[in-house]
């Protein structure tokens, strides 16, 4: 399913999107105020759900997203702002990163289960700023539970998550080289 930058106020609900390794995306969205809910999205060659370009104020909730080659959910684009990722199950096997926010401000990643991804559970890189990562269950990812790295990765809030390592997980929360300026790590019980 593909929605361009003009796709607005659509609802994608209750579908099974099986990529069989040939389709690049399960859902590719560039518009505003769309809802993607209660879908099963798996086996795509790149990304389960991609919010790109000017995707803003979208809701991605209650989906089962697994075994997509690169990312379960990816947010990338200078105006990918104020999206809400709530109550999704995002897991491997074979999926590189659960949630990747490469650009965008004011996004909320809340109450998701992010487990068993090859490298990062949740990754904030490049220009990801002022995002909130809260009350997620993050477990058994190959490298890190939450990973922050980039010259403009700042003012993010990481709070009240429950993070469990697996046998090869490096860190629960990993801030690389001090680039995550002004980010807050609130170590409250999850």
């Amino acid at each position: 399913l593909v929605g361009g930058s003009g796709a607005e106020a659509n609802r994608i609900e209750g579908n099974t999107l099986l990529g069989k390794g040939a389709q690049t995306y399960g859902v590719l969205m560039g518009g505003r105020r769309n809802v993607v809910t209660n879908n099963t999205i798996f086996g795509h060659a790149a990304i389960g759900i991609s919010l790109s370009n000017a995707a803003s104020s979208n809701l991605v909730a209650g989906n089962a997203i697994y075994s997509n080659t690169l990312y379960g959910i990816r947010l990338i684009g200078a105006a990918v702002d104020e999206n809400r990722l709530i109550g999704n199950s995002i897991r491997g096997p074979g999926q590189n990163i659960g949630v990747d926010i490469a650009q965008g401000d004011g996004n909320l990643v809340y109450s998701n289960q992010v487990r068993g991804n090859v490298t990062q559970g949740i990754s904030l890189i490049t220009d990801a700023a002022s995002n909130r990562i809260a009350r997620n269950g993050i477990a058994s990812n190959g490298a890190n539970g939450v990973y922050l790295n980039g010259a403009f990765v700042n003012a993010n809030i990481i709070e009240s998550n429950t993070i469990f390592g697996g046998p090869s997980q490096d860190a629960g929360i990993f801030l690389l080289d001090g680039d995550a300026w002004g980010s807050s790590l609130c170590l409250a019980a999850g």
Side-chain angles (χ1 to χ4, degrees):
L1 299 172
V2 177
S5 60
E8 191 166 324
N10 296 290
R11 187 173 189 91
I12 300 169
E13 182 174 8
N15 300 287
T16 298
L17 306 173
L18 171 60
K20 294 187 178 180
Q23 292 177 334
T24 304
Y25 304 98
V27 176
L28 173 61
M29 209 169 16
R32 300 178 55 237
R33 296 180 306 146
N34 296 292
V35 175
V36 180
T37 186
N38 297 323
N39 299 286
T40 300
I41 302 167
F42 65 101
H44 293 86
I47 305 169
I49 298 175
S50 177
L51 281 72
S52 60
N53 300 323
S56 63
S57 302
N58 295 293
L59 172 63
V60 177
N63 299 286
I65 303 161
Y66 60 96
S67 298
N68 299 287
T69 304
L70 298 178
Y71 309 98
I73 300 175
R74 186 165 206 224
L75 284 67
I76 185 168
V80 178
D81 300 332
E82 298 179 5
N83 296 289
R84 293 165 294 149
L85 313 179
I86 300 172
N88 299 287
S89 174
I90 307 157
R91 58 186 168 82
Q95 187 163 269
N96 192 39
I97 296 174
V99 176
D100 182 65
I101 303 176
Q103 293 175 304
D105 301 336
N107 296 293
L108 172 65
V109 180
Y110 183 83
S111 193
N112 299 282
Q113 295 298 314
V114 185
R115 301 176 182 277
N117 295 285
V118 175
T119 59
Q120 319 303 341
I122 298 174
S123 173
L124 290 91
I125 60 171
T126 313
D127 296 325
S130 300
N131 298 290
R132 183 174 174 224
I133 312 299
R135 297 201 175 277
N136 299 285
I138 304 166
S140 301
N141 296 287
N144 303 291
V146 179
Y147 175 79
L148 295 91
N149 181 21
F152 300 102
V153 174
N154 55 55
N156 295 290
I157 297 172
I158 314 299
E159 66 177 336
S160 300
N161 298 284
T162 301
I163 303 172
F164 291 96
S168 63
Q169 184 167 307
D170 294 331
I173 300 172
F174 188 80
L175 286 83
L176 185 61
D177 297 329
D179 292 331
W181 175 84
S183 293
S184 297
L185 304 179
C186 303
L187 303 177

